[in-house]
Amino acid sequence: MYDMNKEITVNSVNPLVATKTNRVKRFIKKHWIGYLFLLPFVALFTVFVVVPVGYAIGLSFTDYNMVQPAKFVGLNNYKLLFLDDEVFLTAVSNTLTFALITGPIGYLLSFVAAWIINQLKFKRGFALAFYAPSITSGIAMSYVWLVVFSSDRYGYLNNILINLGLIDSPILWNTDPNYIMKVIVIISLWMSMGTGFLVFLAGLQNISTSYYEAGAIDGVRNKFQELIYLTLPLMKPQLLFGAINAIVGSFGVYDIAVAVAGMPSPNYAGHTIVAHLFDYAFIRFQMGYASAIAVVLFVFTFVLGRIVMKLLATKED
C-alpha cells in the first residue's frame, strides 16, 4: 500500500541531509591541507594525553597493585579518599592553602615584573635574571634556599636573627610544622617568574604604540591609566594563559615541598596532593587509589580553569 506520509518524510529529510553532506565535503576539500598539518599533533595529543587520562579515570574505579589483575571496586576509592583518608584531607588543605597564596601573588608578581621591565632599556638582561630561577630544577633551588633556612645557627637567616637579638635559639624552619609551609611558599614565589612572565613580557611588547597615542588624545594621562584602560584589556589572551599556568603550577607543587620537608613531612605539614599521589603510585604501588587522587586533582584544576576562562576570555573566544 502506498504510504504518502513516508514519501513526504523522505522527500523532506533527504534534501537537508544532502545539503549538510555537501557542506561537510566542501569544508573538508577547502581545509584538508590544514587538517593534514594538524594531524601529527592530534595523534600525539590523543596517544599521550587523552588515552592516559581516560585510562586513569577507568583505573580509579579499580583495585590495582600492578601485580594482580585490576579488580573493579566502583566508587570505593573515592569513598576512602574523602571519608577515611585523613592524610589526603590534610594534603588537600595544604595544597589549597598553597594555591590560594602562591597562585594570585605569583601571578601578580609576574605581571608587575613584566610591566616594569618592559619600560626599561635593558629588557633582555632583566628578563633573563627574573626567568632563570624558574628553569632550574625545583629540588636544586630548594637545596640552595635550605642554606638560608638551615635549622642550625649557621643558617643565614637564623644567624642574622640571633646576631640582631631577635631570637635566642635557632628556628627549625624545615622541621617545625608551623614554618614548613611558609618556607615552601617563599621558595615557590621566588621561582614563580616562569612561562607566564615571558608571555606577559611578550604581550606587552606586541601592543602597538598607536593605542597609547590614541589613548593620550582621548585623555589618558599617566602610566597607571594606560595600564587600566589600555594594557589590561589588550592583554586578555596573555592574562588568561598566565592564569591557567598559575593554577596548574600551584596545584602541582611537589618537588619543592619534598626537598624542604621530606616525605612524609613532620605532621604532614608540607604534604600535598601530588605528594600523596606519588606515595600511593610509586611507593605503595596502589595504582587504582593513586588514579582516584589524580582524577580529583584533575577536577580541581579543570573547574578552576573554567572559572578563570569565563572571567578572562574575550567575546570572540
Side-chain angles (χ1 to χ4, degrees):
M1 184 175 179
Y2 181 74
D3 191 348
M4 183 176 294
N5 292 331
K6 184 177 180 180
E7 181 183 2
I8 293 173
T9 303
V10 172
N11 291 337
S12 61
V13 173
N14 282 346
L16 295 175
V17 174
T19 303
K20 291 182 179 180
T21 304
N22 291 333
R23 287 180 181 176
V24 172
K25 288 181 179 179
R26 287 197 300 268
F27 183 83
I28 295 175
K29 186 176 181 180
K30 183 179 180 181
H31 300 286
W32 71 273
I33 295 179
Y35 282 103
L36 188 63
F37 278 101
L38 191 63
L39 183 61
F41 168 78
V42 173
L44 292 174
F45 183 79
T46 302
V47 172
F48 293 105
V49 177
V50 176
V51 173
V53 169
Y55 184 72
I57 293 174
L59 207 60
S60 68
F61 298 104
T62 66
D63 180 11
Y64 180 47
N65 58 11
M66 297 184 68
V67 177
Q68 299 171 326
K71 180 182 177 182
F72 181 77
V73 293
L75 296 174
N76 188 56
N77 288 331
Y78 294 98
K79 291 179 181 178
L80 291 175
L81 271 179
F82 291 102
L83 299 180
D84 295 331
D85 194 342
E86 295 182 1
V87 177
F88 173 72
L89 297 179
T90 301
V92 171
S93 176
N94 291 338
T95 304
L96 289 175
T97 301
F98 176 87
L100 289 174
I101 296 173
T102 60
I105 295 177
Y107 181 73
L108 291 174
L109 286 176
S110 296
F111 180 80
V112 171
W115 182 62
I116 294 174
I117 289 173
N118 187 57
Q119 302 176 50
L120 302 177
K121 291 184 178 180
F122 305 102
K123 295 185 180 73
R124 294 182 180 178
F126 284 104
L128 178 61
F130 276 83
Y131 181 67
S134 68
I135 61 177
T136 309
S137 168
I139 294 178
M141 287 294 98
S142 297
Y143 279 110
V144 171
W145 272 92
L146 285 178
V147 177
V148 177
F149 290 105
S150 178
S151 297
D152 53 34
R153 63 177 57 247
Y154 298 104
Y156 292 160
L157 187 55
N158 277 335
N159 187 265
I160 292 172
L161 294 176
I162 290 174
N163 290 335
L164 292 175
L166 299 177
I167 59 174
D168 297 325
S169 58
I171 296 175
L172 306 178
W173 297 106
N174 59 337
T175 55
D176 189 338
N178 294 320
Y179 295 103
I180 287 174
M181 185 55 67
K182 296 179 178 64
V183 174
I184 295 172
V185 167
I186 291 172
I187 297 175
S188 299
L189 287 175
W190 183 71
M191 296 183 64
S192 63
M193 304 295 177
T195 307
F197 165 74
L198 288 184
V199 170
F200 291 151
L201 188 60
L204 289 167
Q205 293 178 356
N206 285 330
I207 296 177
S208 175
T209 56
S210 61
Y211 290 106
Y212 298 110
E213 293 171 358
I217 296 172
D218 291 335
V220 176
R221 299 304 177 193
N222 53 57
K223 292 291 184 181
F224 292 101
Q225 288 182 346
E226 288 181 354
L227 176 65
I228 295 172
Y229 296 112
L230 296 173
T231 303
L232 291 178
L234 291 170
M235 283 191 59
K236 272 196 171 183
Q238 290 84 1
L239 293 173
L240 174 60
F241 178 84
I244 299 297
N245 239 23
I247 291 172
V248 174
S250 59
F251 274 90
V253 60
Y254 166 71
D255 50 357
I256 296 175
V258 171
V260 169
M263 192 173 74
S265 56
N267 290 345
Y268 295 100
H271 202 62
T272 63
I273 296 178
V274 177
H276 203 57
L277 190 157
F278 185 91
D279 180 20
Y280 275 92
F282 303 110
I283 296 178
R284 309 188 192 199
F285 297 104
Q286 296 184 18
M287 288 298 175
Y289 197 73
S291 297
I293 299 172
V295 171
V296 172
L297 180 60
F298 171 77
V299 171
F300 280 159
T301 55
F302 179 79
V303 171
L304 287 175
R306 294 301 302 175
I307 293 173
V308 170
M309 289 184 70
K310 289 289 185 182
L311 294 175
L312 295 178
T314 58
K315 291 182 179 180
E316 291 77 14
D317 295 335

